[in-house]
Amino acid sequence: MAENLKACSVCCKSSWNQLQDLCRLAKLSCPSLGISKRNLCDFEVEYLCDYKKIREQEYYLVKWYGYPDSESTWEPRQNLKCVRILKQFHKDLERELLRRHQRSRSKPPRHLDPSLANYLVQKAKQRRALRRWEQELNAKRSHLGRITVENEVDLDGPPRAFVYINEYRVGEGITLNQVAVGCECQDCLWDPSGGCCPGASLHKFAYNDQGQVRLRAGLPIYECNSRCRCGYDCPNRVVQKGIRYDLCIFRTDDGRGWGVRTLEKIRKNSFVMEYVGEIITSEEAERRGQIYDRQGTTYLFDLDYVEDVYTVDAAYYGNISHFVNHSCDPNLQVYNVFIDNLDERLPRIAFFATRTIWAGEELTFDYNMQVDPVDMESTRMDSNFGLAGLPGSPKKRVRIECKCGTESCRKYLF
Ligand SMILES: [Zn+2]
Ligand SMILES: [Zn+2]
Ligand SMILES: [Zn+2]
């Protein structure tokens, strides 16, 4: 009988991991499954759930990766090779003990009370969820700057409804027209012909040779485009190259939800990020605004450079700017930018640093910043404050209390 089955094969219903675990349970090494004598006993730790000390021996309750909670086992410390997970467990334990005012020193108690153990499990699950989200964001970004995610404040995980995009997502019935002409400069900065791309629409060249904006807020930026003769290294290509700084989405500890901080020094007048989202008509924005007002959220950004026809909604589709908080004394300034689309009703919105921003500092912009770009004589935004804001909707009906905490705080956002 066995002779007859020699050439016969069936597909295996078990996964690779399950087969590896079967080997481990049976204590069988199997080179073709990657199970050797050396790693025969290595199951993967997903996280640690509990801790106890019996005499001088420390034990940890281990949740095994790929197994249900019911299969979790107590293991003595010397069995565990997951140094990073152990370290994190004790860091979380220490911090939580401190918060609960039980102890101030690093020595853990011999047993954890159930609520503390439960908290540590929640924290471990949250860390895994945030790592996954971080990986997802980085897989979706098309820019140089990396994104990290951190919550050392509460147990909130990734936002439930948010999709990372790198450029505008154009809503139904709206079209972005591709530019038809580019410049013919030898050198766009030092030897421009006809004022380069900005000159073609009677505007000034926006950048110096360091890529820092030198126009006053309110003036539009015209960058070189896909039709231009110049190449990728042209000094008039800045916003189009995307975010280049490593940034961190972090949980604020003063009730302002998520925020964004830079992990690198940003020089004054440097481009930091674009505000992207879904482009919708202002009528649609009006409708959505009423819903958002009720939720107390503000992700609508009116494109009112020339007329108020379109709005950017970053509530669901957005980039890292979705998480940047408001401040009445912000370190980011908004500019209208035109690159491959010259329709003045559809500028791109770019944030530039108003001053040196040091590594570790939070990035902020003024949700109700007012610049009047059509009136070129007007000085900065102060004069028009309170009217239709650039970011944020002028259709706001509710007053949102400001929590920015700066000296110049206006107390209310709208
Ligand atoms: Zn040029
Ligand atoms: Zn050009
Ligand atoms: Zn150029």
Side-chain angles (χ1 to χ4, degrees), residues 191-227:
D191 187 14
S193 106
C196 185
C197 285
S201 50
L202 307 176
H203 291 288
K204 286 188 204 134
F205 198 91
Y207 305 114
N208 65 14
D209 57 354
Q210 302 291 306
Q212 292 162 295
V213 69
R214 56 185 189 187
L215 299 179
R216 135 179 105 57
L219 294 176
I221 295 172
Y222 281 81
E223 289 200 356
C224 283
N225 59 60
S226 52
R227 304 261 177 181

Side-chain angles (χ1 to χ4, degrees), residues 228-277:
C228 295
R229 216 178 87 172
C230 57
Y232 180 79
D233 289 328
C234 165
N236 198 28
R237 299 178 187 274
V238 173
V239 170
Q240 58 190 268
K241 287 183 180 164
I243 300 167
R244 40 186 277 241
Y245 302 104
D246 290 347
L247 303 175
C248 175
I249 300 173
F250 74 103
R251 197 72 178 169
T252 59
D253 58 10
D254 53 4
R256 291 177 302 124
W258 296 101
V260 175
R261 68 165 156 250
T262 177
L263 300 175
E264 298 175 57
K265 177 188 168 185
I266 301 175
R267 294 173 62 200
K268 185 177 176 176
N269 296 327
S270 300
F271 166 66
V272 181
M273 65 176 74
E274 243 186 284
Y275 192 87
V276 302

Side-chain angles (χ1 to χ4, degrees), residues 36-279:
S36 63
K37 279 217 174 78
R38 218 163 51 90
N39 66 13
L40 187 58
C41 301
D42 294 356
F43 289 89
E44 192 185 334
V45 175
E46 187 169 342
Y47 51 82
L48 303 173
C49 314
D50 204 349
Y51 168 90
K52 64 185 174 190
K53 199 169 185 181
I54 300 170
R55 274 175 303 250
E56 281 321 293
Q57 179 67 60
E58 292 181 297
Y59 294 89
Y60 296 85
L61 183 59
V62 176
K63 162 74 172 70
W64 298 104
Y65 184 75
Y67 290 86
D69 293 341
S70 55
E71 305 269 323
S72 295
T73 54
W74 283 99
E75 300 290 334
R77 181 162 194 153
Q78 67 267 22
N79 282 6
L80 299 176
K81 296 175 189 166
C82 48
V83 184
R84 212 177 42 81
I85 294 178
L86 275 164
K87 239 188 194 157
Q88 192 64 65
F89 179 83
H90 280 282
K91 224 166 138 186
D92 288 340
L93 173 58
E94 225 172 278
R95 187 174 297 177
E96 188 57 12
L97 282 173
L98 207 68
R99 204 182 63 81
R100 296 180 182 203
H101 304 295
Q102 288 187 353
R103 257 161 224 262
S104 54
R105 271 294 137 104
S106 57
K107 236 177 143 194
R110 299 191 75 87
H111 290 272
L112 306 187
D113 74 70
S115 82
L116 183 53
N118 179 53
Y119 168 84
L120 291 170
V121 169
Q122 299 309 315
K123 196 70 199 162
K125 284 183 177 170
Q126 176 204 32
R127 283 188 194 286
R128 291 183 69 88
L130 290 176
R131 277 301 80 75
R132 272 198 299 276
W133 185 45
E134 182 182 284
Q135 285 163 4
E136 187 192 310
L137 293 175
N138 282 294
K140 285 186 179 154
R141 75 178 155 94
S142 63
H143 48 81
L144 199 67
R146 278 192 53 82
I147 303 168
T148 51
V149 177
E150 194 185 284
N151 184 351
E152 298 300 336
V153 172
D154 55 33
L155 287 171
D156 270 33
R160 250 164 265 131
F162 176 70
V163 177
Y164 200 89
I165 55 170
N166 292 284
E167 50 193 63
Y168 281 156
R169 187 188 164 93
V170 180
E172 241 175 273
I174 301 168
T175 39
L176 293 176
N177 294 317
Q178 281 294 306
V179 67
V181 283
C183 66
E184 299 285 334
C185 314
Q186 286 299 325
D187 182 315
C188 293
L189 177 61
W190 301 111
D191 187 14
S193 106
C196 185
C197 285
S201 50
L202 307 176
H203 291 288
K204 286 188 204 134
F205 198 91
Y207 305 114
N208 65 14
D209 57 354
Q210 302 291 306
Q212 292 162 295
V213 69
R214 56 185 189 187
L215 299 179
R216 135 179 105 57
L219 294 176
I221 295 172
Y222 281 81
E223 289 200 356
C224 283
N225 59 60
S226 52
R227 304 261 177 181
C228 295
R229 216 178 87 172
C230 57
Y232 180 79
D233 289 328
C234 165
N236 198 28
R237 299 178 187 274
V238 173
V239 170
Q240 58 190 268
K241 287 183 180 164
I243 300 167
R244 40 186 277 241
Y245 302 104
D246 290 347
L247 303 175
C248 175
I249 300 173
F250 74 103
R251 197 72 178 169
T252 59
D253 58 10
D254 53 4
R256 291 177 302 124
W258 296 101
V260 175
R261 68 165 156 250
T262 177
L263 300 175
E264 298 175 57
K265 177 188 168 185
I266 301 175
R267 294 173 62 200
K268 185 177 176 176
N269 296 327
S270 300
F271 166 66
V272 181
M273 65 176 74
E274 243 186 284
Y275 192 87
V276 302
E278 203 180 347
I279 300 186

